[in-house]
Amino acid sequence: MRHVTKSLVAGMVAVLPVGGTLLSIVFIEDALATSGIGRLDVYFPGLGILLALVGLYLLGVTVSTVVGRYFYAFVDRLLTRLPGLGFLYRSLKEVLGYGEGEQAIFSKVVLVRNRAYGSACLGLVTNEVEVDGEALSVVYLPHAPSPANGQLHYLPRGELTELDMTTSEALKVLFAVGKIEQAYRLQGEGTAASGT
């Protein structure tokens, strides 16, 4: 019975990424097809997803221009000032790593060394406290590729290496499990700052 249970769990874990991706594609296509696109004469299965990808691409191109950045900043300011919804919008931005300043959830990105294993991990500082006369940083250590899960540690500030990286860049590194350019900046900055 233990072997059967273990094999079933292993099979479910193996199929989750593929199954989740397929279910997401089917859900998006179904939602877009029933929204009116399905009644078009030129409709074919997959048109909804294709239109969504084209829309995201055009949005990306638009916000990359000077006029687009100005318009995006205007909409950002407008949403921030909305009563009630503005707080939700600001909170969502901060969780995603786009908050800035002292009021942001994450104030800086640090490298936390684990001397026992000879490794290091990315940490996001949420607060600075003092316990029994010792200056400590409250550091959230997110997991990859799901930064929503992680651990909260109280660590001496002297054991942390501050990185020249924004929170949103750190979250991108975690989501991409280190397969993007920002991940390679860690090596030079982290080792230089710690003197190793």
Side-chain angles (χ1 to χ4, degrees):
M1 192 63 187
R2 184 180 295 175
H3 169 73
V4 171
T5 305
K6 185 178 176 183
S7 298
L8 282 172
V9 170
M12 285 189 284
V13 169
V15 82
L16 274 177
V18 175
T21 302
L22 291 176
L23 283 175
S24 298
I25 290 171
V26 169
F27 174 77
I28 292 170
E29 174 61 26
D30 184 55
L32 291 171
T34 56
S35 68
I37 295 174
R39 291 189 286 270
L40 296 174
D41 293 336
V42 294
Y43 175 78
F44 58 88
L47 178 64
I49 294 171
L50 183 63
L51 289 175
L53 290 173
V54 169
L56 286 173
Y57 171 76
L58 292 175
L59 178 64
V61 169
T62 303
V63 298
S64 300
T65 64
V66 174
V67 175
R69 282 196 296 270
Y70 174 79
F71 180 71
Y72 178 79
F74 171 76
V75 171
D76 181 62
R77 284 194 304 273
L78 183 68
L79 289 173
T80 302
R81 293 178 182 151
L82 283 176
L85 289 177
F87 174 75
L88 179 65
Y89 176 69
R90 285 191 306 272
S91 300
L92 183 59
K93 274 181 64 176
E94 289 176 11
V95 168
L96 293 174
Y98 291 99
E100 295 178 0
E102 292 296 320
Q103 300 303 316
I105 292 176
F106 305 119
S107 59
K108 55 188 164 186
V109 181
V110 294
L111 200 62
V112 180
R113 297 204 177 275
N114 185 333
R115 305 210 185 277
Y117 294 102
S119 64
C121 60
L122 277 176
L124 305 170
V125 176
T126 64
N127 202 0
E128 306 282 350
V129 297
E130 194 168 310
V131 179
D132 296 330
E134 185 179 13
L136 300 175
S137 292
V138 184
V139 184
Y140 176 66
L141 300 177
H143 295 164
S146 176
N149 297 319
Q151 298 175 335
L152 197 63
H153 292 263
Y154 289 77
L155 300 169
R157 293 178 199 169
E159 293 184 11
L160 305 175
T161 303
E162 190 172 343
L163 299 173
D164 183 24
M165 177 183 276
T166 65
T167 305
S168 59
E169 288 175 333
L171 292 173
K172 286 176 189 172
V173 169
L174 292 165
F175 275 120
V177 289
K179 292 296 237 178
I180 58 175
E181 184 182 341
Q182 284 90 342
Y184 301 107
R185 289 180 18 205
L186 292 177
Q187 187 175 8
E189 291 168 7
T191 54
S194 63
T196 56

